[in-house]
Amino acid sequence: MACRGRRPEHGGPPELFYDENEARKYVRNSRMIDIQTRMAERALELLGLPEGQPSFLLDVGCGSGLSGDYLSEEGHYWVGIDISPAMLDTALDRDTEGDLLLGDMGQGIPFKPGSFDGCISISAVQWLCNANKKSDNPAKRLYCFFSSLYSILARGARAVLQLYPENSEQLELITTQATKAGFTGGVVVDYPNSAKAKKFYLCLFSGPSSFLPKGLSDQKDGVEDKESTFTKERVPYKVARRGVVKKSREWVLEKKERRRRQGKEVRPDTQYTGRKRKPRF
C-alpha cells in the first residue's frame, strides 16, 4: 500500500521496499487484507470467466498470496510471480494453495504460450514505470512484460491489472506498450469521483476486441460511468475531424473523448456540454 505522502515506487526497487517488515503488514493489518481481497474480487469479476468452471490463472505481483487466496476460494487454480523474496516467504508460511515463482515481470513471464486462462495483478504494474538502475528502460521493460503476457495467455483470454498510475503520462505509457504487444482493451475506473475509493483496472483482451465492462459508481442514473478504450486501429487526425466546426458540441465531445482515451480526468457529458453561453456584460 502507498505510504502517506509518498509513493512506494519512490522508495527504491520493490525487492528492497517489500522487506520482512513490510511483508508482515500484509498478514497482520486487517485493513490491508480487506482492500487486497476486494480488489482481487473485482479483478476476477472483470475477467469474465465462465461460471462454475475452474480456470488456471496467473497472479502477477502475488506478494503474500492474499489475492491468490481469493482465487482459491472461488475454485480456481493459480500461479503467482513476485520479485520480493520476503513476500513469497510470507506466502509460503501462510500455506497458500497456488504455486509461487520468484521473478522480475519486467524481464518477461517465463511460461509456455497459451498456458493460462487469464491473469490478474494487484498494485504491481506501476513499478515498471520507474528506473531503479541506469540500465532500466521503463518502456522496454513494460513491452517485455506485456509481450510475454500476451504469449502465455490462451487465445481470447483476458488480463485485468489493477494499478495506481502516478499521472496521465504514466498511464499512457503503460497502455501504449500494451497495445504494441498486441492487446486491445481499455481502462475501467471505479468510483472516479472518490479520492479514496477510486481504482484503475487495465482490462486487456488477447483476442478480438470485447465489450469493455462498466466502472462502478456511486452516482445517480443518467450520469455516465467512466472508462476509456484503446485499439490498434488508427484514424488520421485530419480525416477524423473533417467537417467538425470548432467549439461546436460535436467538437467539444470529440475533444473530451480524446482526453478520456489518454487517461485524463474529464467531466461527464451532459445536456449542457458544448452549449453556447451568452456574453457577459
Side-chain angles (χ1 to χ4, degrees):
M1 306 303 294
C3 299
R4 180 171 296 180
R6 188 183 185 188
R7 295 177 64 90
E9 310 95 81
H10 298 167
E15 62 268 29
L16 298 181
F17 177 84
Y18 289 104
D19 55 14
E20 293 181 0
N21 291 331
E22 194 70 21
R24 278 195 290 268
K25 295 179 182 179
Y26 285 80
V27 179
R28 301 175 180 176
N29 190 313
S30 59
R31 178 175 175 273
M32 279 189 175
I33 294 173
D34 180 63
I35 292 175
Q36 289 285 117
T37 302
R38 283 191 283 112
M39 289 192 294
E41 179 181 4
R42 176 61 170 154
L44 185 60
E45 176 186 343
L46 292 172
L47 275 183
L49 298 171
E51 294 185 7
Q53 179 178 330
S55 298
F56 187 47
L57 305 176
L58 176 66
D59 184 0
V60 176
C62 63
S64 60
L66 294 176
S67 52
D69 286 346
Y70 181 78
L71 298 180
S72 296
E73 290 175 4
E74 293 298 307
H76 300 294
Y77 303 98
W78 60 279
V79 174
I81 181 172
D82 201 280
I83 197 173
S84 168
M87 294 292 274
L88 292 179
D89 286 342
T90 301
L92 289 172
D93 292 339
R94 297 178 58 251
D95 293 327
T96 55
E97 295 184 16
D99 294 323
L100 304 175
L101 174 68
L102 178 65
D104 179 4
M105 60 180 173
Q107 295 180 359
I109 310 297
F111 291 97
K112 293 181 179 180
S115 296
F116 295 95
D117 301 315
C119 170
I120 70 167
S121 178
I122 307 299
S123 311
V125 177
Q126 70 272 4
W127 284 90
L128 294 179
C129 297
N130 293 270
N132 295 305
K133 298 180 294 185
K134 289 184 178 180
S135 59
D136 284 350
N137 183 313
K140 289 183 178 179
R141 285 171 57 77
L142 281 165
Y143 178 77
C144 184
F145 165 64
F146 283 122
S147 59
S148 62
L149 179 61
Y150 186 88
S151 173
I152 65 175
L153 289 176
R155 181 66 173 171
R158 294 185 181 185
V160 177
L161 316 176
Q162 185 276 328
L163 67 158
Y164 291 105
E166 186 170 1
N167 47 49
S168 59
E169 290 77 14
Q170 191 176 94
L171 185 60
E172 184 175 2
L173 171 65
I174 294 171
T175 56
T176 297
Q177 298 308 314
T179 304
K180 286 183 178 180
F183 283 109
T184 58
V187 180
V188 173
V189 184
D190 285 351
Y191 309 111
N193 298 318
S194 172
K196 292 184 178 181
K198 185 176 182 179
K199 295 291 184 296
F200 291 82
Y201 294 88
L202 180 60
C203 298
L204 303 175
F205 311 135
S206 63
S209 297
S210 301
F211 176 75
L212 190 66
K214 290 285 187 179
L216 302 179
S217 175
D218 287 330
Q219 296 174 342
K220 298 180 180 179
D221 294 339
V223 180
E224 294 183 357
D225 293 324
K226 180 179 178 182
E227 64 272 331
S228 58
T229 62
F230 61 90
T231 67
K232 291 182 286 186
E233 299 178 359
R234 292 186 178 182
V235 179
Y237 181 76
K238 291 184 179 180
V239 174
R241 297 187 55 75
R242 187 177 297 165
V244 178
V245 180
K246 189 174 183 179
K247 301 296 183 181
S248 66
R249 176 177 172 82
E250 185 179 359
W251 183 88
V252 172
L253 291 173
E254 287 186 4
K255 183 176 180 181
K256 293 178 70 174
E257 183 60 29
R258 187 166 64 253
R259 292 178 68 85
R260 289 192 184 101
R261 290 196 298 268
Q262 295 170 347
K264 297 180 180 179
E265 293 286 347
V266 181
R267 291 183 179 180
D269 299 332
T270 68
Q271 59 180 330
Y272 303 110
T273 300
R275 183 186 62 173
K276 293 184 179 180
R277 304 185 184 277
K278 297 180 181 179
R280 294 183 179 180
F281 292 101

